[in-house]
Amino acid sequence: MKFQSESVDSYYLRSELQVAVHLCKRKDRMACEHLSNICALTLYTDGIACMLFVHTPLAPVWLFYNKQDTISILNDTKISERYSLRREDNSSTLDFTIAKFSLNGEFLSIGRPSLPCQLLRNVRFGVNYNKRCRTTAVELLNAQVELLSPYLIFKDGNRTFTHALPVVVKLAGEDIDEILRQQLVRKFFLVDNVSGFKALPTFMNIRFAKAPELSVLRYMKSLTVLVNVQNGEEHGKIFAPFLIVKYDELTYQDLFDNPDIVIEYKVIFKLKDSDMDYNVQITIGVLTGIALIFSMIKAWSYYKRNHNGNLSVAVLLWFLVYAMGIVGNVITFVCIGACICLFVFYKGQTVPYILLPDNASEKRIQTYMSVAFSFKIFNLESWMLAMPEANAADKFSETRNNFTLQYAICTFVYVSVYFAQWLIRLMFYERYIRNRLQKFVDLCSVANISVFILAHNYYGFYIHGRSVHGFADTDLPTLINDLKKEEDNLCAHRGLVPGTTEQTFIISLTRSFKFLYDELMKQKDNVRSRKFCFDNFDQLILIFLE
C-alpha cells in the first residue's frame, strides 16, 4: 500500500483483500461493502480492490461516479428546495446526513452527522465558514475506523428527499485546480489506523505476522464543502454540493511524539455564473486606458508649462509618474467600489442575489490593492517634489472575517473620518482658529506686496497683494483707520478685478512675460539697473494682465 512517506506491505490487505474479492464476486453484499471500504482506504488507487467498482452500471456497490457525467453531476438541479438567508426561516440551514459503515462492511447508521469538530452540522445557507479544531495523534490512533457516505436531505412541499453527494479525495499538498478532471467517489473516512501495520514474513515465508507497531497513520487533514448557488430566476436553490477531502499522514516517530493535529473545515458558497470578477477586470481595463490617456494629457501639460522645446526623456519620465499615480487611483477606486457594492447588497439580503467572493477572488482583490498601493508608494512625483444581517453580535465563532467586508468597512470609516476632518477644518478651524494661507495673503495686502510663485518655468501662482489704500509706509493709527474702512466696506475691495475679493490665482505665463521676468531677476542685484527695474515693472504688470 502506497503512502507519501513509504510503501507498506499492509498486513490488513494481505489478510482481507483476497477474501473480500472472492466473496464479492459471489454477490455477498457485505463483502462488497468491505471491498469498497478497502478501496477507499487506498484512496482509490489500488487496482485489485477497486476494479469491481469502476464500471458504474455493473458495480455491486456504488462507489465511483462516471467520469463522463462529472459536468452533469455538478450541475444537477434535482435539489428543489429554495433556501433563505434569513436565520429565522426553517430553510436557512443545509441538512446533511451521513451513512456510516464499519470497516468490515456492516451498515451502522444513517442520520445527522456526529463527527468531530461539529463537521457538517448547522451549515447556514450563504455563510462561508472556516474552522480549525485540534486533536492528538494518540486520539487518532485509538479512533474507530468508519467509512462515511454523505447525503443532503431537502424538502419539496410536504415531501422529504435524500440526495447523494459526490466526494473528491486528495492527499495534502495536492492542488485541485480543475474539479471537472477529478474522480468523484461516494465514500471517505476520518482516520485509517489499520492498513499501516506491516506484514512481517515468518518461517519459510508461508505466513505473515502483524507488525507490533503502526508504521503509518493516515487521517483527514481538511474537509471543504463547496456549494454552488443557482442564479437568476432560481435564486435560493442550489446545485448538488460536493465534498473535497484531503489526507495527511503520521509516521511511527510522529505517533511516538504525540503532536497536536489540526483539522481544517471549510464551507464555501459560490454564486453560479457570477460576473463580479469579470466586471471588476473589465472596469479596471477600461479605466486604465482612460487613465493612460489622461496621463498623456498631463505630460503634455507639463511640457507646455516648461517649454522644453523638443520632447525629452524628462517628459517620458513624467508620463510614467503620472500614469503610475492615476492607474493606482483607478485600481483603488474600482476595488473600493466593488467592496462597497458587495457590502451594501450582501448585508441584509434575504434572497441570494449576491454572495461574498471565494478565496481566489479575494486574493485577486488583494493583489489589485497591492499593485495600487505599490504604484502610490512608488509614485515618483511625490518623491521628486518633496454575515447577511448587519447585526453580528451573535456571530458564529467559525465564521471567518471576510476581507471584502473588512475593506468596505475600513473604506466607510476612512471616508467618514476624512469628510468630518474636512468639514471641521473648513467650517470651524480655518474660520475661527487659524487660516495660514489667508493670513499670508492679508500680510501681502497690508505690506502692499504682490507675489509670484513659479512651480514650473511657465506655470505657477500669483498673490495679488496691492493695497487698496495705495501705500503701506504709514504710521499705526493710519493703518488701523484704513483697516477699519475695509471692515466697514468704505473703500475698494482687494481683488485683482474691481468689485471682487479674489486675490489668489493660478497663472500660465507667455514667452514674452517670462523673458521680461527673467531679465528682471538677472538684474535685481545690480544697483545700476535699479532704474530699469522700476521703469519696467508697470510694463511687466500690463503684460501679465493682458
Side-chain angles (χ1 to χ4, degrees):
M1 187 170 179
K2 291 183 179 180
F3 292 92
Q4 285 182 299
S5 56
E6 60 178 309
S7 293
V8 174
D9 185 4
S10 174
Y11 175 81
Y12 185 80
L13 265 64
R14 276 192 174 273
S15 59
E16 300 291 339
L17 180 57
Q18 290 185 353
V19 177
V21 171
H22 176 72
L23 294 178
C24 183
K25 288 182 178 180
R26 301 185 65 176
K27 308 300 182 183
D28 188 318
R29 177 72 182 185
M30 187 171 173
C32 290
E33 289 287 357
H34 184 195
L35 185 61
S36 69
N37 294 344
I38 295 176
C39 177
L41 292 182
T42 66
L43 302 187
Y44 303 93
T45 59
D46 188 277
I48 298 176
C50 302
M51 64 179 180
L52 296 180
F53 309 102
V54 174
H55 302 290
T56 305
L58 303 177
V61 173
W62 182 23
L63 188 61
F64 291 93
Y65 286 86
N66 195 332
K67 242 185 174 180
Q68 286 73 24
D69 298 335
T70 301
I71 296 178
S72 60
I73 293 169
L74 298 181
N75 293 324
D76 192 354
T77 58
K78 292 180 181 178
I79 302 176
S80 56
E81 183 171 357
R82 197 179 295 272
Y83 293 92
S84 172
L85 292 171
R86 188 183 290 111
R87 180 180 297 178
E88 296 78 14
D89 294 347
N90 295 328
S91 58
S92 63
T93 58
L94 275 64
D95 189 4
F96 288 97
T97 297
I98 292 292
K100 292 184 179 182
F101 297 86
S102 65
L103 183 56
N104 63 3
E106 180 184 358
F107 175 75
L108 298 178
S109 65
I110 184 171
R112 296 195 66 188
S114 57
L115 306 177
C117 307
Q118 298 292 312
L119 300 179
L120 300 179
R121 291 178 66 93
N122 302 320
V123 177
R124 187 179 168 194
F125 175 67
V127 178
N128 294 339
Y129 295 89
N130 191 348
K131 181 180 181 181
R132 291 185 175 185
C133 60
R134 294 183 179 273
T135 184
T136 62
V138 172
E139 290 178 349
L140 294 177
L141 184 61
N142 297 326
Q144 187 74 23
V145 179
E146 294 177 341
L147 280 296
L148 312 174
S149 293
Y151 296 87
L152 179 69
I153 296 178
F154 65 94
K155 295 181 180 180
D156 187 359
N158 296 325
R159 296 182 297 175
T160 301
F161 298 89
T162 301
H163 187 85
L165 302 181
V167 180
V168 177
V169 173
K170 285 292 178 183
L171 289 172
E174 292 183 348
D175 294 329
I176 303 181
D177 297 328
E178 184 57 59
I179 197 67
L180 298 179
R181 298 180 182 177
Q182 307 301 321
Q183 175 64 63
L184 304 181
V185 296
R186 283 289 301 127
K187 287 184 177 181
F188 69 99
F189 58 91
L190 299 180
V191 61
D192 173 16
N193 51 22
V194 173
S195 58
F197 284 97
K198 290 183 178 180
L200 303 178
T202 58
F203 181 71
M204 300 295 293
N205 291 335
I206 298 176
R207 291 180 175 272
F208 291 86
K210 181 180 178 181
E213 302 293 343
L214 183 64
S215 298
V216 183
L217 181 145
R218 181 176 281 161
Y219 68 97
M220 185 179 69
K221 178 69 174 179
S222 69
L223 172 64
T224 302
V225 182
L226 188 57
V227 184
N228 286 317
V229 181
Q230 298 188 42
N231 205 348
E233 297 180 356
E234 300 298 329
H235 54 78
K237 294 184 179 181
I238 63 174
F239 297 99
F242 60 93
L243 283 63
I244 301 175
V245 183
K246 289 189 176 183
Y247 290 97
D248 205 352
E249 299 170 0
L250 296 175
T251 62
Y252 172 77
Q253 184 62 42
D254 295 330
L255 295 173
F256 180 79
D257 296 336
N258 191 27
D260 287 339
I261 306 300
V262 177
I263 300 176
E264 189 172 9
Y265 170 49
K266 294 181 181 179
V267 179
I268 301 174
F269 287 86
K270 296 179 64 176
L271 196 62
K272 190 72 172 179
D273 300 326
S274 176
D275 53 359
M276 176 61 72
D277 287 347
Y278 177 78
N279 291 339
V280 169
Q281 294 174 6
I282 291 297
T283 305
I284 289 178
V286 172
L287 293 183
T288 298
I290 298 175
L292 293 177
I293 295 175
F294 186 67
S295 301
M296 294 179 185
I297 296 174
K298 291 196 69 174
W300 176 82
S301 177
Y302 167 81
Y303 166 73
K304 293 293 291 183
R305 290 173 181 176
N306 289 274
H307 288 288
N308 291 329
N310 297 327
L311 293 176
S312 61
V313 178
V315 178
L316 179 60
L317 178 61
W318 277 103
F319 167 73
L320 295 177
V321 168
Y322 291 136
M324 290 176 67
I326 298 175
V327 171
N329 290 336
V330 163
I331 297 176
T332 303
F333 171 77
V334 173
C335 291
I336 288 176
C339 292
I340 291 178
C341 177
L342 287 170
F343 177 82
V344 171
F345 288 99
Y346 177 76
K347 287 293 184 178
Q349 65 177 342
T350 58
V351 176
Y353 290 105
I354 189 170
L355 292 178
L356 295 178
D358 56 10
N359 291 337
S361 299
E362 282 204 341
K363 288 181 180 179
R364 202 172 294 117
I365 293 177
Q366 292 173 356
T367 301
Y368 291 152
M369 292 307 305
S370 299
V371 172
F373 281 113
S374 298
F375 281 1
K376 297 302 293 181
I377 290 174
F378 293 100
N379 186 353
L380 300 180
E381 180 181 4
S382 59
W383 288 53
M384 291 180 177
L385 296 179
M387 280 173 196
E389 61 272 5
N391 182 14
D394 54 347
K395 70 174 184 177
F396 295 106
S397 60
E398 60 267 21
T399 305
R400 70 183 182 92
N401 292 328
N402 185 270
F403 171 79
T404 304
L405 297 183
Q406 285 181 325
Y407 192 75
I409 293 173
C410 291
T411 302
F412 278 131
V413 173
Y414 177 82
V415 172
S416 300
V417 172
Y418 179 85
F419 180 76
Q421 185 181 24
W422 173 80
L423 197 63
I424 292 173
R425 178 181 177 183
L426 181 66
M427 302 299 295
F428 177 75
Y429 184 82
E430 291 186 351
R431 178 171 296 185
Y432 299 106
I433 298 179
R434 180 184 296 177
N435 188 336
R436 295 181 178 179
L437 178 60
Q438 188 59 47
K439 286 182 178 294
F440 180 72
V441 174
D442 292 339
L443 177 62
C444 292
S445 297
V446 172
N448 197 20
I449 297 174
S450 295
V451 181
F452 288 100
I453 304 172
L454 294 182
H456 300 276
N457 289 338
Y458 290 83
Y459 175 86
F461 307 93
Y462 170 66
I463 298 177
H464 182 68
R466 175 172 290 184
S467 175
V468 295
H469 308 290
F471 54 88
D473 295 334
T474 183
D475 54 12
L476 184 59
T478 304
L479 179 61
I480 295 175
N481 185 50
D482 290 340
L483 294 176
K484 182 64 176 176
K485 289 181 180 180
E486 285 192 60
E487 183 180 359
D488 296 336
N489 202 20
L490 298 177
C491 60
H493 295 290
R494 292 182 178 181
L496 176 64
V497 179
T500 65
T501 59
E502 187 63 39
Q503 293 180 264
T504 57
F505 302 89
I506 298 174
I507 58 175
S508 180
L509 306 182
T510 62
R511 287 182 179 272
S512 58
F513 183 92
K514 186 62 167 59
F515 174 77
L516 186 57
Y517 177 84
D518 290 339
E519 288 296 325
L520 289 173
M521 292 298 103
K522 289 178 182 178
Q523 301 179 26
K524 66 178 180 178
D525 296 327
N526 192 339
V527 178
R528 291 175 299 177
S529 64
R530 184 177 302 171
K531 183 177 183 301
F532 172 82
C533 293
F534 284 108
D535 291 344
N536 288 276
F537 182 77
D538 291 338
Q539 182 182 357
L540 180 67
I541 296 299
L542 289 175
I543 295 175
F544 170 68
L545 293 178
E546 291 176 357

